[in-house]
Amino acid sequence: MNKKITYCGLNCQTCDAYLATIHNDQKLKEATAKKWARLNQAPILPQHIHCEDCRMPGAKTIFCETMCEIRKCAIKKEVSTCGHCSNLETCRTIESILKHNPSIIKNLKQ
């Protein structure tokens, strides 16, 4: 499987929001919204689950579009992923996602 790696190192092709969007899967949008609302303790609704890749033009979840500090930083620094940033190992912005998902460092270093 080819990987579509986000700024933070997640693989879009294994992301429920991306999969629900490209397959127009309403049930997956509903399940993802429920899961993400619980995980983030935020009011996330199925209509918020719409993403075509945070690095490309097109739809993004409301979080990725307007609130993701990692995406904002990568765009500002003009890097294609955090793996291309010289501060990756000491970065406080990406620190929490690496802590909760340490396998993404492999995606970022490829």
Side-chain angles (χ1 to χ4, degrees):
M1 173 189 305
N2 290 331
K3 291 184 178 182
K4 289 178 68 87
I5 304 302
T6 62
Y7 290 112
C8 66
L10 294 174
N11 182 354
C12 293
Q13 293 174 316
T14 61
C15 174
D16 288 338
Y18 177 79
L19 294 171
T21 301
I22 65 168
H23 296 296
N24 197 27
D25 185 334
Q26 187 60 30
K27 287 186 181 189
L28 184 54
K29 286 182 181 188
E30 291 168 6
T32 303
K34 186 176 181 178
K35 177 182 174 183
W36 288 11
R38 185 181 72 252
L39 289 172
N40 295 291
Q41 299 175 354
I44 299 172
L45 303 172
Q47 59 265 32
H48 298 146
I49 306 300
H50 193 72
C51 186
E52 297 172 329
D53 183 343
C54 69
R55 292 180 36 208
M56 305 302 275
K60 287 152 196 48
T61 66
I62 192 165
F63 174 81
C64 294
E65 180 89 61
T66 62
M67 296 180 265
C68 179
E69 295 302 319
I70 295 169
R71 182 174 183 268
K72 289 177 189 178
C73 180
I75 290 170
K76 182 179 176 182
K77 290 184 176 183
E78 298 180 339
V79 294
S80 59
T81 72
C82 294
H84 295 98
C85 178
S86 60
N87 298 327
L88 175 63
E89 303 295 330
T90 59
C91 180
R92 307 256 321 147
T93 305
I94 197 170
E95 179 179 59
S96 66
I97 197 165
L98 292 174
K99 178 182 174 186
H100 290 96
N101 201 341
S103 64
I104 65 172
I105 198 78
K106 181 179 174 184
N107 291 339
L108 290 171
K109 291 190 173 189
Q110 288 181 351

